[in-house]
Amino acid sequence: ILEGDIYSRSVINIATPTNVNNTQWLNFLKKLTQERPFIWENHKPALQTNFLNPGISAVLTFPTGAGKTTLSELKIASTLCNGKTIIYIVPTHALKDQVNRNLKQLFEGTINTAFEIDAEFTDLFQDTTFPIMVLTPERCLSLANISPETFQNVGLIVFDEFHLIHGVDIRKDRRSIDAMYCLLQLFILSPGADYMLIS
């Protein structure tokens, strides 16, 4: 009774997005399957929108623990397999460290053999081009001003906790202004990138 449903929910059977390297995509799915072999009920309709294909952006607003991470990781993998880089915006350094750890563990050895995820604490004139750059809005703004060429090959911009752009009291909440300005700058610097706003 369940055979067809289980097959349709298998991570390994997620179709390769358009214009994406098939071998790299399958290598990534094999690694993801070791931790999460099946997609959840709310993942199925999201995947049916074809948002994994280049050129499609998305807003994810699921409750905590509802699977936003899996969907964002699939979109990141699709972008990396398409030869593009990712900007991943997080509101705090603590979340940056957590995201760095999780992404490095998942992607290292699958899509790029020498994989580095960082860019928050690089020197001002050091090369800051990594496959995935996990940044706070403030660091993103400084890179945009000092090294705008960093954003030329960006294929995906993930903004985690994007509700940050709405400050409770805009006069007191400078972080919301920085986050909003960061997003506006990214629209200008990477006009061809896909956007994934997560909350």
Side-chain angles (χ1 to χ4, degrees):
I1 293 171
L2 293 175
E3 181 181 0
D5 192 48
I6 289 174
Y7 181 83
S8 71
R9 291 173 188 267
S10 297
V11 164
I12 200 68
N13 292 320
I14 297 173
T16 305
T18 58
N19 300 320
V20 164
N21 182 297
N22 190 55
T23 303
Q24 289 182 340
W25 178 252
L26 288 176
N27 286 340
F28 165 74
L29 290 183
K30 286 176 187 175
K31 178 119 183 229
L32 183 61
T33 297
Q34 293 171 10
E35 295 179 18
R36 286 165 271 166
F38 301 104
I39 58 172
W40 297 352
E41 182 65 29
N42 58 337
H43 293 158
K44 285 179 76 173
L47 292 172
Q48 289 168 352
T49 66
N50 295 319
F51 87 99
L52 296 181
N53 292 338
I56 299 179
S57 296
V59 175
L60 294 178
T61 56
F62 293 164
T64 301
K68 297 184 294 290
T69 299
T70 298
L71 292 174
S72 66
E73 289 168 349
L74 287 166
K75 182 67 172 180
I76 289 169
S78 168
T79 305
L80 289 172
C81 291
N82 196 29
K84 301 287 186 178
T85 60
I86 289 92
I87 301 290
Y88 198 114
I89 305 294
V90 292
T92 64
H93 291 295
L95 186 54
K96 178 198 78 74
D97 292 339
Q98 177 189 334
V99 169
N100 268 331
R101 250 190 332 273
N102 294 345
L103 292 178
K104 188 163 187 173
Q105 180 183 351
L106 179 61
F107 288 104
E108 194 167 41
T110 57
I111 296 171
N112 292 10
T113 50
F115 204 92
E116 290 197 56
I117 299 174
D118 206 341
E120 182 68 18
F121 294 111
T122 51
D123 292 333
L124 288 181
F125 300 105
Q126 181 181 336
D127 178 22
T128 54
T129 306
F130 300 98
I132 301 176
M133 292 177 276
V134 183
L135 307 165
T136 57
E138 293 78 14
R139 174 61 174 160
C140 186
L141 284 171
S142 77
L143 265 182
N145 288 300
I146 295 167
S147 181
E149 65 277 0
T150 302
F151 300 88
Q152 288 178 351
N153 192 43
V154 173
L156 174 65
I157 293 161
V158 179
F159 200 131
D160 205 346
E161 309 290 346
F162 85 94
H163 55 268
L164 175 66
I165 66 173
H166 180 276
V168 176
D169 185 344
I170 203 84
R171 294 167 296 174
K172 296 179 183 176
D173 194 357
R174 174 70 196 184
R175 293 177 63 231
S176 65
I177 296 171
D178 289 343
M180 189 180 304
Y181 186 53
C182 173
L183 193 57
L184 292 172
Q185 281 285 86
L186 289 170
F187 288 150
I188 295 166
L189 292 169
S190 302
D194 296 342
Y195 288 81
M196 176 171 274
L197 308 180
I198 304 173
S199 178

